[in-house]
Every structure is written in structure tokens, then in C-alpha cells.
Amino acid sequence: MNSIKSHKDLHIWRKGMDITEAIFRLVKSFPKEEKDILTNQMKRCALSIPSNIAEGFGRNSNRSFIYFLAIARGSLYELETQLLLAERFHYIKDVQLLHTVLLQIQEEGKMINAFSKTLH
């Protein structure tokens, strides 16, 4: 991690930012009655992914970083579950974006797992 100067240098952080941006675009088309329920929860989960990666990096301890990566991973899988529920409820209009985000989530999970192993 010597060449990494900031959390912004981490590919896992940048991918988390991309996922968050996609979620904010995706939920715009949800039914109005969902704006205060599932939409807000999905946004919080998405925001949690890059935020916890950044916080873990800022702790300057591998042990703390691993802990925050685990939280980010948990938020990632919580978000995936919420996306699948939104799909079941037919809230998602842009199916292509949904599939793209689900692939990004899978990639991000693998990347977080691999990165976390390098910190042990």
C-alpha cells in the first residue's frame, strides 16, 4: 500500500463511487410511494460502500481497515438484496442499468475480498 497516497487511489473506492452514482440514477424512476422507504435505504447502503472504504483507509491501521471493508461488503450485499426486491416489485424501469449494477456489485465484492486478504 506504499504507492497508495489516498483512498481515492483505491480501485475499490472508485467502483463504490460508480455503484453509488448508478443507484441514485436508478431509484429516480421508482414509484412515488417508494421514495421514502426502499429508495432511501438503497441510497444509504450505496453511500456506505465508498464511505466505509474511505474511513477504513483513514484509520491508518490494517486491522481497522479490514473491519471497515467488512462493513462496506455488508452494505454491498444489503444493496444487492434491495435491488433484487425492487426488481421483483417491478420498480425498476431501466433493466439494463439494473444488470450493470448487479455485475458491478459482484465485481466489487470480489475486489473487496481480495484486497482485504492483502491486509492480513
Side-chain angles (χ1 to χ4, degrees):
M1 244 171 59
N2 294 341
S3 65
I4 298 171
K5 305 286 186 228
S6 164
H7 62 280
K8 295 178 219 166
D9 297 329
L10 297 170
H11 190 62
I12 57 173
W13 179 82
R14 291 192 306 268
K15 182 163 284 295
M17 294 289 284
D18 292 343
I19 291 169
T20 302
E21 183 181 343
I23 291 300
F24 273 68
R25 283 196 322 262
L26 194 64
V27 300
K28 282 183 180 180
S29 66
F30 279 23
K32 296 237 184 272
E33 64 270 11
E34 289 306 318
K35 293 291 182 192
D36 295 328
I37 304 168
L38 188 57
T39 304
N40 288 339
Q41 184 64 24
M42 289 175 72
K43 286 179 177 180
R44 283 197 308 268
C45 284
L47 289 165
S48 175
I49 298 162
S51 297
N52 276 291
I53 293 167
E55 184 170 357
F57 181 88
R59 297 292 176 121
N60 289 326
S61 152
N62 283 0
R63 187 175 177 178
S64 290
F65 201 176
I66 291 166
Y67 171 78
F68 282 98
L69 288 173
I71 293 171
R73 187 176 44 241
S75 294
L76 186 70
Y77 295 132
E78 184 179 354
L79 177 61
E80 179 185 42
T81 299
Q82 293 160 357
L83 278 169
L84 294 172
L85 284 169
E87 181 183 34
R88 281 187 180 198
F89 299 148
H90 306 287
Y91 293 161
I92 298 176
K93 305 271 188 271
D94 190 341
V95 177
Q96 181 60 43
L97 181 56
L98 168 66
H99 293 296
T100 299
V101 174
L102 288 172
L103 283 173
Q104 288 177 319
I105 286 172
Q106 286 178 352
E107 289 173 10
E108 178 79 333
K110 289 176 186 176
M111 289 168 38
I112 288 173
N113 287 340
F115 187 76
S116 190
K117 287 179 185 175
T118 70
L119 298 174
H120 283 349

